[in-house]
């Protein structure tokens, strides 16, 4: 039997929104995993629309965009403040 749990999306949204200002300062593991996944990927070409669901401050979104310039990246996150941070950093290259 699997245990059931619920996520308070409003609380989650608030927590990530609050963290958005300093999130990148503490995301070393996330960046390391992003680099490793991209290097291990067998993808040679990526084009068309690509959705980064849970994009946070847009680090991986921007990394993917730099490796696959023909792709049209779309960043989406539950926390509006994370999207605002991502947009302020990478607005020219990605849809938020």
């Amino acid at each position: 039997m699997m245990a059931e749990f619920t996520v308070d999306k409003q609380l989650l949204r608030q927590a990530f929104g609050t963290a958005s200002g300093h999130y990148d300062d503490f995301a070393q593991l996330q960046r390391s995993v992003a680099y490793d996944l991209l290097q291990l990927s067998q993808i040679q070409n990526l084009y068309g629309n690509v959705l980064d669901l849970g994009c946070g401050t847009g680090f991986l979104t921007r990394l993917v965009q730099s490796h696959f310039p023909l792709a049209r990246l779309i960043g989406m996150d539950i926390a509006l403040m994370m999207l605002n941070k991502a947009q302020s950093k990478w607005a020219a290259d990605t849809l938020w």
Side-chain angles (χ1 to χ4, degrees), residues 12-33:
L12 181 69
R13 188 176 296 118
Q14 285 177 320
F16 275 100
T18 300
S20 66
H22 301 286
Y23 188 83
D24 288 334
D25 297 338
F26 301 100
Q28 294 87 356
L29 177 61
Q30 181 184 16
R31 284 192 296 275
S32 177
V33 169

Side-chain angles (χ1 to χ4, degrees), residues 20-78:
S20 66
H22 301 286
Y23 188 83
D24 288 334
D25 297 338
F26 301 100
Q28 294 87 356
L29 177 61
Q30 181 184 16
R31 284 192 296 275
S32 177
V33 169
Y35 282 123
D36 289 348
L37 285 174
L38 197 55
Q39 287 179 354
L40 293 172
S41 159
Q42 298 295 316
I43 298 172
Q44 298 298 315
N45 292 309
L46 189 61
Y47 52 89
N49 294 327
V50 177
L51 175 63
D52 183 358
L53 188 58
C55 69
T57 61
F59 174 79
L60 181 58
T61 314
R62 181 67 175 126
L63 184 62
V64 170
Q65 182 70 68
S66 69
H67 280 77
F68 303 104
L70 298 178
R72 182 173 181 238
L73 273 286
I74 302 167
M76 179 181 265
D77 199 278
I78 193 169

